[in-house]
Amino acid sequence: MFDVEKIRQEFPILGIQVNGKNLVYLDNAATTQKPKSVINSLVKYYETRNSNVHRGVHFLSDKATTEYENARSNIARYINAEKPHELIFVRGTTEAVNLAASSYGEIAVKAGDEVIVSYLEHHSNIVPWQLLCERKGASLKVIPVNDSGELDIEAYKKLLNGKTKIVAVNHISNSLGTINPVKEIIRLAHDAGAVVLIDGAQSVQHTKINVLDLDADFFAFSGHKMYGPTGIGVLYGKEKLLDSMPPYQGGGDMIQNVSFEKTTYNELPYKFEAGTPDISGAIVLSDAVDFILSAGIENIANHEHEILEYGTAKLREIDGFRLIGSAKKKASVISFLLDGIHPYDTGMILDKMGIAVRTGLHCTEPLMKRFGIPGTVRASIAMYNTKSELDLLVEGVKKAKKMLL
Ligand code: PMP
């Protein structure tokens, strides 16, 4: 059984006070808080196992290497990848997309080709593709969204053609919470001969991921949004694609042999992991995965959905409340505006009440322009949030309205 109070006890930071009030943390789409098991694992790593990987014959190096590779296998199982070496450890989603755009883009895209993204994308799933298109003389096409914040799949079908080489879309929108029909998006792209990258930054922590069932070519995510540490993330790629790609960065570990005349490269995944990786980050991310598994990803999804529905319904009762993003399928994000009030001002007043929300463009400037708004106030939900926290948010929003209008 999912017991939210028990879960909350695992997160020390949830006990702190902010501005004299109990913290209400609703900025989980930006980053989640960390459970004790993750924090303790990080300390334990540096106290008992710290060493460099893949380089030493000594006890500690062997131990660190084994745990680093075990972490890869565990995380591979979590997303149902066929082979652990299809997971490349990177700094986060941003680096994962840049790796795919630079390396796969290099061999797949030429002048006149097209890359498709969507209006819902985070800047980190727009700009790397834009840079690629500029380098190659290719063009960037954009799947439109309707007024509810859902992708227009009919328009997407019309964008696909023989020139489409890559489609890059997110699984769940960080700004609106829209759950995109990624399986269908991938199937349609494959029918057109294109390869698909799914930005899973907002889905790995909320829903079961099965990269095989999705048939995703690339899948990117960040550790810090799934109860793990900052500085670690994953690019999953199908072995065949990763094998065909040139290295992204040069340095130690990614080579087989080096001479001044010619260097040969290491096998997967090391070909893409130049230099000393974030060893502790990978190991601790695996602990974060175990934490999610112990709570149960379906339990988490159900709990968060209940909180989302509850909070949305309560907020909708407030006069002048405008929900931005009302997709039929939504996860864990309530983005909104109050008539006549700038989102930043609402956020400042909520902060005085100990409530952490995000305000602004959420790194989705084109999407905000599409809706003709200066940004939103975004409350984003994680497994440890409760209905009473959403009640406090509602109270805070009412107070902000009273003070600012
Ligand atoms: N994509 C989405 C959908 C995101 O929400 C984020 C983080 N806000 C990113 C990409 C970038 O992730 P990171 O900053 O961890 O690289």
mmCIF file of all heavy atoms in Angstrom, residues 155-198:
data_model
loop_
_atom_site.group_PDB
_atom_site.id
_atom_site.type_symbol
_atom_site.label_atom_id
_atom_site.label_comp_id
_atom_site.label_asym_id
_atom_site.label_seq_id
_atom_site.Cartn_x
_atom_site.Cartn_y
_atom_site.Cartn_z
ATOM 1 N N ALA A 155 -1.575 17.314 -38.090
ATOM 2 C CA ALA A 155 -0.571 18.234 -38.647
ATOM 3 C C ALA A 155 0.804 17.553 -38.678
ATOM 4 O O ALA A 155 1.580 17.731 -39.630
ATOM 5 C CB ALA A 155 -0.510 19.509 -37.812
ATOM 6 N N TYR A 156 1.082 16.761 -37.644
ATOM 7 C CA TYR A 156 2.358 16.020 -37.589
ATOM 8 C C TYR A 156 2.477 15.074 -38.785
ATOM 9 O O TYR A 156 3.526 15.018 -39.446
ATOM 10 C CB TYR A 156 2.434 15.258 -36.262
ATOM 11 C CG TYR A 156 3.533 14.228 -36.161
ATOM 12 C CD1 TYR A 156 4.868 14.560 -36.386
ATOM 13 C CD2 TYR A 156 3.233 12.904 -35.795
ATOM 14 C CE1 TYR A 156 5.870 13.605 -36.268
ATOM 15 C CE2 TYR A 156 4.229 11.955 -35.676
ATOM 16 C CZ TYR A 156 5.552 12.302 -35.918
ATOM 17 O OH TYR A 156 6.536 11.359 -35.800
ATOM 18 N N LYS A 157 1.381 14.372 -39.068
ATOM 19 C CA LYS A 157 1.403 13.432 -40.203
ATOM 20 C C LYS A 157 1.761 14.165 -41.501
ATOM 21 O O LYS A 157 2.485 13.650 -42.342
ATOM 22 C CB LYS A 157 0.033 12.759 -40.361
ATOM 23 C CG LYS A 157 -0.262 11.720 -39.299
ATOM 24 C CD LYS A 157 -1.637 11.128 -39.521
ATOM 25 C CE LYS A 157 -2.043 10.215 -38.378
ATOM 26 N NZ LYS A 157 -3.479 9.909 -38.370
ATOM 27 N N LYS A 158 1.257 15.402 -41.611
ATOM 28 C CA LYS A 158 1.525 16.173 -42.847
ATOM 29 C C LYS A 158 2.974 16.675 -42.895
ATOM 30 O O LYS A 158 3.506 16.905 -43.978
ATOM 31 C CB LYS A 158 0.553 17.354 -42.942
ATOM 32 C CG LYS A 158 -0.882 16.894 -43.196
ATOM 33 C CD LYS A 158 -1.772 18.033 -43.639
ATOM 34 C CE LYS A 158 -3.220 17.554 -43.702
ATOM 35 N NZ LYS A 158 -4.056 18.157 -42.655
ATOM 36 N N LEU A 159 3.568 16.853 -41.718
ATOM 37 C CA LEU A 159 4.965 17.330 -41.702
ATOM 38 C C LEU A 159 5.941 16.229 -42.115
ATOM 39 O O LEU A 159 7.010 16.495 -42.659
ATOM 40 C CB LEU A 159 5.350 17.813 -40.296
ATOM 41 C CG LEU A 159 4.772 19.137 -39.796
ATOM 42 C CD1 LEU A 159 5.241 19.411 -38.371
ATOM 43 C CD2 LEU A 159 5.192 20.288 -40.705
ATOM 44 N N LEU A 160 5.564 14.981 -41.821
ATOM 45 C CA LEU A 160 6.475 13.857 -42.119
ATOM 46 C C LEU A 160 6.581 13.641 -43.627
ATOM 47 O O LEU A 160 5.577 13.641 -44.332
ATOM 48 C CB LEU A 160 5.941 12.570 -41.483
ATOM 49 C CG LEU A 160 6.081 12.430 -39.961
ATOM 50 C CD1 LEU A 160 5.182 11.307 -39.459
ATOM 51 C CD2 LEU A 160 7.532 12.175 -39.568
ATOM 52 N N ASN A 161 7.807 13.454 -44.092
ATOM 53 C CA ASN A 161 8.012 13.123 -45.520
ATOM 54 C C ASN A 161 9.401 12.510 -45.673
ATOM 55 O O ASN A 161 10.119 12.344 -44.681
ATOM 56 C CB ASN A 161 7.839 14.383 -46.388
ATOM 57 C CG ASN A 161 8.895 15.417 -46.076
ATOM 58 O OD1 ASN A 161 10.086 15.190 -46.264
ATOM 59 N ND2 ASN A 161 8.470 16.566 -45.553
ATOM 60 N N GLY A 162 9.775 12.218 -46.872
ATOM 61 C CA GLY A 162 11.051 11.542 -47.133
ATOM 62 C C GLY A 162 12.267 12.328 -46.660
ATOM 63 O O GLY A 162 13.350 11.765 -46.468
ATOM 64 N N LYS A 163 12.103 13.649 -46.460
ATOM 65 C CA LYS A 163 13.249 14.466 -46.023
ATOM 66 C C LYS A 163 13.403 14.467 -44.501
ATOM 67 O O LYS A 163 14.414 14.906 -43.968
ATOM 68 C CB LYS A 163 13.055 15.919 -46.509
ATOM 69 C CG LYS A 163 13.244 16.072 -48.018
ATOM 70 C CD LYS A 163 13.159 17.514 -48.451
ATOM 71 C CE LYS A 163 11.700 17.947 -48.558
ATOM 72 N NZ LYS A 163 11.498 19.316 -49.026
ATOM 73 N N THR A 164 12.351 13.951 -43.798
ATOM 74 C CA THR A 164 12.418 13.949 -42.323
ATOM 75 C C THR A 164 13.431 12.910 -41.863
ATOM 76 O O THR A 164 13.281 11.719 -42.137
ATOM 77 C CB THR A 164 11.046 13.586 -41.720
ATOM 78 O OG1 THR A 164 10.035 14.347 -42.357
ATOM 79 C CG2 THR A 164 11.039 13.828 -40.227
ATOM 80 N N LYS A 165 14.448 13.363 -41.137
ATOM 81 C CA LYS A 165 15.468 12.413 -40.666
ATOM 82 C C LYS A 165 15.333 12.128 -39.167
ATOM 83 O O LYS A 165 15.640 11.036 -38.711
ATOM 84 C CB LYS A 165 16.877 12.968 -40.958
ATOM 85 C CG LYS A 165 17.191 13.013 -42.452
ATOM 86 C CD LYS A 165 17.186 11.604 -43.031
ATOM 87 C CE LYS A 165 17.370 11.474 -44.503
ATOM 88 N NZ LYS A 165 16.616 12.225 -45.418
ATOM 89 N N ILE A 166 14.900 13.129 -38.410
ATOM 90 C CA ILE A 166 14.812 12.964 -36.954
ATOM 91 C C ILE A 166 13.537 13.647 -36.444
ATOM 92 O O ILE A 166 13.185 14.738 -36.912
ATOM 93 C CB ILE A 166 16.038 13.604 -36.246
ATOM 94 C CG1 ILE A 166 17.348 12.946 -36.727
ATOM 95 C CG2 ILE A 166 15.917 13.493 -34.721
ATOM 96 C CD1 ILE A 166 18.613 13.657 -36.296
ATOM 97 N N VAL A 167 12.871 12.973 -35.497
ATOM 98 C CA VAL A 167 11.753 13.585 -34.780
ATOM 99 C C VAL A 167 12.154 13.601 -33.305
ATOM 100 O O VAL A 167 12.577 12.570 -32.771
ATOM 101 C CB VAL A 167 10.448 12.776 -34.971
ATOM 102 C CG1 VAL A 167 9.317 13.366 -34.127
ATOM 103 C CG2 VAL A 167 10.053 12.727 -36.454
ATOM 104 N N ALA A 168 12.050 14.771 -32.663
ATOM 105 C CA ALA A 168 12.435 14.875 -31.242
ATOM 106 C C ALA A 168 11.289 15.521 -30.463
ATOM 107 O O ALA A 168 10.977 16.695 -30.685
ATOM 108 C CB ALA A 168 13.711 15.709 -31.111
ATOM 109 N N VAL A 169 10.653 14.741 -29.607
ATOM 110 C CA VAL A 169 9.517 15.264 -28.829
ATOM 111 C C VAL A 169 9.615 14.788 -27.377
ATOM 112 O O VAL A 169 10.253 13.766 -27.091
ATOM 113 C CB VAL A 169 8.150 14.791 -29.387
ATOM 114 C CG1 VAL A 169 7.843 15.408 -30.730
ATOM 115 C CG2 VAL A 169 8.072 13.287 -29.456
ATOM 116 N N ASN A 170 8.951 15.532 -26.503
ATOM 117 C CA ASN A 170 8.960 15.067 -25.125
ATOM 118 C C ASN A 170 7.804 14.101 -24.860
ATOM 119 O O ASN A 170 6.815 14.081 -25.594
ATOM 120 C CB ASN A 170 9.017 16.215 -24.123
ATOM 121 C CG ASN A 170 7.805 17.114 -24.163
ATOM 122 O OD1 ASN A 170 6.679 16.645 -24.272
ATOM 123 N ND2 ASN A 170 8.018 18.417 -24.077
ATOM 124 N N HIS A 171 7.981 13.330 -23.817
ATOM 125 C CA HIS A 171 6.963 12.346 -23.431
ATOM 126 C C HIS A 171 5.871 13.065 -22.637
ATOM 127 O O HIS A 171 4.679 12.890 -22.908
ATOM 128 C CB HIS A 171 7.634 11.255 -22.586
ATOM 129 C CG HIS A 171 6.805 10.034 -22.363
ATOM 130 N ND1 HIS A 171 7.290 8.913 -21.772
ATOM 131 C CD2 HIS A 171 5.513 9.766 -22.640
ATOM 132 C CE1 HIS A 171 6.327 7.999 -21.708
ATOM 133 N NE2 HIS A 171 5.250 8.501 -22.218
ATOM 134 N N ILE A 172 6.323 13.880 -21.667
ATOM 135 C CA ILE A 172 5.397 14.695 -20.873
ATOM 136 C C ILE A 172 5.937 16.122 -20.844
ATOM 137 O O ILE A 172 7.133 16.329 -20.602
ATOM 138 C CB ILE A 172 5.257 14.136 -19.434
ATOM 139 C CG1 ILE A 172 4.636 12.722 -19.480
ATOM 140 C CG2 ILE A 172 4.423 15.071 -18.560
ATOM 141 C CD1 ILE A 172 4.413 12.057 -18.134
ATOM 142 N N SER A 173 5.046 17.065 -21.112
ATOM 143 C CA SER A 173 5.469 18.471 -21.167
ATOM 144 C C SER A 173 5.745 19.027 -19.774
ATOM 145 O O SER A 173 4.900 18.915 -18.883
ATOM 146 C CB SER A 173 4.378 19.292 -21.855
ATOM 147 O OG SER A 173 4.381 20.624 -21.374
ATOM 148 N N ASN A 174 6.911 19.664 -19.606
ATOM 149 C CA ASN A 174 7.243 20.237 -18.295
ATOM 150 C C ASN A 174 6.413 21.475 -17.987
ATOM 151 O O ASN A 174 6.201 21.810 -16.829
ATOM 152 C CB ASN A 174 8.741 20.578 -18.210
ATOM 153 C CG ASN A 174 9.133 21.676 -19.170
ATOM 154 O OD1 ASN A 174 8.890 21.578 -20.364
ATOM 155 N ND2 ASN A 174 9.727 22.724 -18.668
ATOM 156 N N SER A 175 5.912 22.144 -19.025
ATOM 157 C CA SER A 175 5.163 23.387 -18.791
ATOM 158 C C SER A 175 3.694 23.151 -18.549
ATOM 159 O O SER A 175 3.071 23.861 -17.773
ATOM 160 C CB SER A 175 5.279 24.310 -20.000
ATOM 161 O OG SER A 175 6.527 24.906 -19.995
ATOM 162 N N LEU A 176 3.129 22.168 -19.263
ATOM 163 C CA LEU A 176 1.671 21.967 -19.209
ATOM 164 C C LEU A 176 1.265 20.613 -18.649
ATOM 165 O O LEU A 176 0.100 20.410 -18.325
ATOM 166 C CB LEU A 176 1.063 22.115 -20.616
ATOM 167 C CG LEU A 176 1.400 23.396 -21.390
ATOM 168 C CD1 LEU A 176 0.661 23.418 -22.733
ATOM 169 C CD2 LEU A 176 1.062 24.644 -20.582
ATOM 170 N N GLY A 177 2.184 19.674 -18.607
ATOM 171 C CA GLY A 177 1.862 18.340 -18.103
ATOM 172 C C GLY A 177 1.217 17.418 -19.131
ATOM 173 O O GLY A 177 0.879 16.274 -18.802
ATOM 174 N N THR A 178 1.073 17.884 -20.362
ATOM 175 C CA THR A 178 0.480 17.041 -21.410
ATOM 176 C C THR A 178 1.264 15.740 -21.572
ATOM 177 O O THR A 178 2.491 15.770 -21.677
ATOM 178 C CB THR A 178 0.530 17.780 -22.781
ATOM 179 O OG1 THR A 178 0.038 19.095 -22.604
ATOM 180 C CG2 THR A 178 -0.248 17.016 -23.843
ATOM 181 N N ILE A 179 0.536 14.616 -21.581
ATOM 182 C CA ILE A 179 1.190 13.338 -21.893
ATOM 183 C C ILE A 179 1.027 13.108 -23.396
ATOM 184 O O ILE A 179 -0.099 13.007 -23.897
ATOM 185 C CB ILE A 179 0.540 12.170 -21.114
ATOM 186 C CG1 ILE A 179 0.578 12.447 -19.602
ATOM 187 C CG2 ILE A 179 1.225 10.845 -21.444
ATOM 188 C CD1 ILE A 179 -0.150 11.400 -18.749
ATOM 189 N N ASN A 180 2.132 13.067 -24.075
ATOM 190 C CA ASN A 180 2.060 12.939 -25.540
ATOM 191 C C ASN A 180 1.957 11.483 -25.979
ATOM 192 O O ASN A 180 2.520 10.594 -25.326
ATOM 193 C CB ASN A 180 3.297 13.588 -26.166
ATOM 194 C CG ASN A 180 3.279 15.089 -25.998
ATOM 195 O OD1 ASN A 180 2.252 15.725 -26.212
ATOM 196 N ND2 ASN A 180 4.392 15.648 -25.572
ATOM 197 N N PRO A 181 1.262 11.246 -27.085
ATOM 198 C CA PRO A 181 1.108 9.863 -27.581
ATOM 199 C C PRO A 181 2.385 9.404 -28.281
ATOM 200 O O PRO A 181 2.432 9.253 -29.499
ATOM 201 C CB PRO A 181 -0.059 9.983 -28.559
ATOM 202 C CG PRO A 181 0.012 11.385 -29.066
ATOM 203 C CD PRO A 181 0.570 12.223 -27.952
ATOM 204 N N VAL A 182 3.427 9.162 -27.472
ATOM 205 C CA VAL A 182 4.750 8.957 -28.072
ATOM 206 C C VAL A 182 4.853 7.661 -28.882
ATOM 207 O O VAL A 182 5.581 7.598 -29.863
ATOM 208 C CB VAL A 182 5.892 9.041 -27.029
ATOM 209 C CG1 VAL A 182 6.195 10.481 -26.693
ATOM 210 C CG2 VAL A 182 5.595 8.257 -25.779
ATOM 211 N N LYS A 183 4.076 6.656 -28.466
ATOM 212 C CA LYS A 183 4.159 5.400 -29.222
ATOM 213 C C LYS A 183 3.674 5.622 -30.662
ATOM 214 O O LYS A 183 4.300 5.161 -31.630
ATOM 215 C CB LYS A 183 3.324 4.318 -28.518
ATOM 216 C CG LYS A 183 3.665 2.933 -28.987
ATOM 217 C CD LYS A 183 3.075 1.868 -28.120
ATOM 218 C CE LYS A 183 3.296 0.515 -28.794
ATOM 219 N NZ LYS A 183 2.841 -0.595 -27.990
ATOM 220 N N GLU A 184 2.584 6.364 -30.788
ATOM 221 C CA GLU A 184 2.049 6.661 -32.120
ATOM 222 C C GLU A 184 3.002 7.583 -32.891
ATOM 223 O O GLU A 184 3.241 7.391 -34.102
ATOM 224 C CB GLU A 184 0.671 7.330 -31.952
ATOM 225 C CG GLU A 184 -0.033 7.567 -33.265
ATOM 226 C CD GLU A 184 -1.332 8.369 -33.097
ATOM 227 O OE1 GLU A 184 -1.674 8.747 -31.958
ATOM 228 O OE2 GLU A 184 -1.982 8.604 -34.129
ATOM 229 N N ILE A 185 3.561 8.556 -32.181
ATOM 230 C CA ILE A 185 4.499 9.492 -32.822
ATOM 231 C C ILE A 185 5.698 8.724 -33.388
ATOM 232 O O ILE A 185 6.154 8.972 -34.500
ATOM 233 C CB ILE A 185 4.949 10.569 -31.801
ATOM 234 C CG1 ILE A 185 3.776 11.525 -31.518
ATOM 235 C CG2 ILE A 185 6.172 11.331 -32.284
ATOM 236 C CD1 ILE A 185 4.006 12.492 -30.365
ATOM 237 N N ILE A 186 6.171 7.751 -32.615
ATOM 238 C CA ILE A 186 7.332 6.967 -33.046
ATOM 239 C C ILE A 186 6.958 6.099 -34.259
ATOM 240 O O ILE A 186 7.691 6.033 -35.250
ATOM 241 C CB ILE A 186 7.854 6.100 -31.869
ATOM 242 C CG1 ILE A 186 8.462 6.988 -30.780
ATOM 243 C CG2 ILE A 186 8.870 5.058 -32.358
ATOM 244 C CD1 ILE A 186 8.772 6.291 -29.468
ATOM 245 N N ARG A 187 5.800 5.449 -34.169
ATOM 246 C CA ARG A 187 5.379 4.574 -35.276
ATOM 247 C C ARG A 187 5.268 5.369 -36.581
ATOM 248 O O ARG A 187 5.748 4.958 -37.626
ATOM 249 C CB ARG A 187 4.038 3.912 -34.922
ATOM 250 C CG ARG A 187 3.566 2.899 -35.956
ATOM 251 C CD ARG A 187 2.244 2.250 -35.574
ATOM 252 N NE ARG A 187 1.185 3.184 -35.223
ATOM 253 C CZ ARG A 187 0.471 3.906 -36.098
ATOM 254 N NH1 ARG A 187 0.715 3.815 -37.383
ATOM 255 N NH2 ARG A 187 -0.475 4.734 -35.673
ATOM 256 N N LEU A 188 4.645 6.531 -36.503
ATOM 257 C CA LEU A 188 4.469 7.358 -37.701
ATOM 258 C C LEU A 188 5.828 7.808 -38.257
ATOM 259 O O LEU A 188 6.038 7.809 -39.474
ATOM 260 C CB LEU A 188 3.601 8.581 -37.376
ATOM 261 C CG LEU A 188 2.120 8.270 -37.110
ATOM 262 C CD1 LEU A 188 1.422 9.467 -36.445
ATOM 263 C CD2 LEU A 188 1.406 7.896 -38.407
ATOM 264 N N ALA A 189 6.745 8.158 -37.351
ATOM 265 C CA ALA A 189 8.083 8.586 -37.795
ATOM 266 C C ALA A 189 8.801 7.426 -38.475
ATOM 267 O O ALA A 189 9.416 7.594 -39.535
ATOM 268 C CB ALA A 189 8.891 9.087 -36.606
ATOM 269 N N HIS A 190 8.709 6.248 -37.873
ATOM 270 C CA HIS A 190 9.380 5.080 -38.461
ATOM 271 C C HIS A 190 8.811 4.772 -39.835
ATOM 272 O O HIS A 190 9.553 4.417 -40.762
ATOM 273 C CB HIS A 190 9.263 3.868 -37.525
ATOM 274 C CG HIS A 190 10.145 3.985 -36.314
ATOM 275 N ND1 HIS A 190 10.080 3.116 -35.246
ATOM 276 C CD2 HIS A 190 11.118 4.874 -35.994
ATOM 277 C CE1 HIS A 190 10.984 3.460 -34.336
ATOM 278 N NE2 HIS A 190 11.611 4.527 -34.767
ATOM 279 N N ASP A 191 7.484 4.891 -39.968
ATOM 280 C CA ASP A 191 6.863 4.657 -41.289
ATOM 281 C C ASP A 191 7.449 5.596 -42.345
ATOM 282 O O ASP A 191 7.522 5.265 -43.519
ATOM 283 C CB ASP A 191 5.339 4.869 -41.225
ATOM 284 C CG ASP A 191 4.654 3.738 -40.456
ATOM 285 O OD1 ASP A 191 5.335 2.716 -40.183
ATOM 286 O OD2 ASP A 191 3.457 3.876 -40.120
ATOM 287 N N ALA A 192 7.845 6.795 -41.886
ATOM 288 C CA ALA A 192 8.408 7.779 -42.826
ATOM 289 C C ALA A 192 9.931 7.639 -42.929
ATOM 290 O O ALA A 192 10.583 8.430 -43.609
ATOM 291 C CB ALA A 192 8.036 9.184 -42.372
ATOM 292 N N GLY A 193 10.499 6.668 -42.197
ATOM 293 C CA GLY A 193 11.947 6.428 -42.280
ATOM 294 C C GLY A 193 12.770 7.314 -41.362
ATOM 295 O O GLY A 193 13.986 7.428 -41.527
ATOM 296 N N ALA A 194 12.120 7.955 -40.380
ATOM 297 C CA ALA A 194 12.865 8.851 -39.480
ATOM 298 C C ALA A 194 13.161 8.156 -38.154
ATOM 299 O O ALA A 194 12.497 7.184 -37.776
ATOM 300 C CB ALA A 194 12.064 10.124 -39.230
ATOM 301 N N VAL A 195 14.150 8.688 -37.458
ATOM 302 C CA VAL A 195 14.569 8.181 -36.155
ATOM 303 C C VAL A 195 14.008 9.127 -35.085
ATOM 304 O O VAL A 195 13.889 10.319 -35.323
ATOM 305 C CB VAL A 195 16.118 8.118 -36.151
ATOM 306 C CG1 VAL A 195 16.700 8.260 -34.769
ATOM 307 C CG2 VAL A 195 16.587 6.826 -36.812
ATOM 308 N N VAL A 196 13.650 8.565 -33.918
ATOM 309 C CA VAL A 196 12.975 9.398 -32.913
ATOM 310 C C VAL A 196 13.748 9.466 -31.593
ATOM 311 O O VAL A 196 14.170 8.439 -31.060
ATOM 312 C CB VAL A 196 11.556 8.850 -32.605
ATOM 313 C CG1 VAL A 196 10.814 9.793 -31.646
ATOM 314 C CG2 VAL A 196 10.760 8.683 -33.884
ATOM 315 N N LEU A 197 13.890 10.693 -31.094
ATOM 316 C CA LEU A 197 14.402 10.884 -29.728
ATOM 317 C C LEU A 197 13.235 11.327 -28.850
ATOM 318 O O LEU A 197 12.530 12.280 -29.178
ATOM 319 C CB LEU A 197 15.497 11.949 -29.690
ATOM 320 C CG LEU A 197 16.028 12.238 -28.266
ATOM 321 C CD1 LEU A 197 17.550 12.379 -28.271
ATOM 322 C CD2 LEU A 197 15.397 13.467 -27.622
ATOM 323 N N ILE A 198 13.046 10.603 -27.747
ATOM 324 C CA ILE A 198 12.034 10.993 -26.770
ATOM 325 C C ILE A 198 12.738 11.642 -25.575
ATOM 326 O O ILE A 198 13.637 11.047 -24.981
ATOM 327 C CB ILE A 198 11.213 9.771 -26.291
ATOM 328 C CG1 ILE A 198 10.487 9.103 -27.469
ATOM 329 C CG2 ILE A 198 10.214 10.186 -25.202
ATOM 330 C CD1 ILE A 198 9.440 9.950 -28.162
#
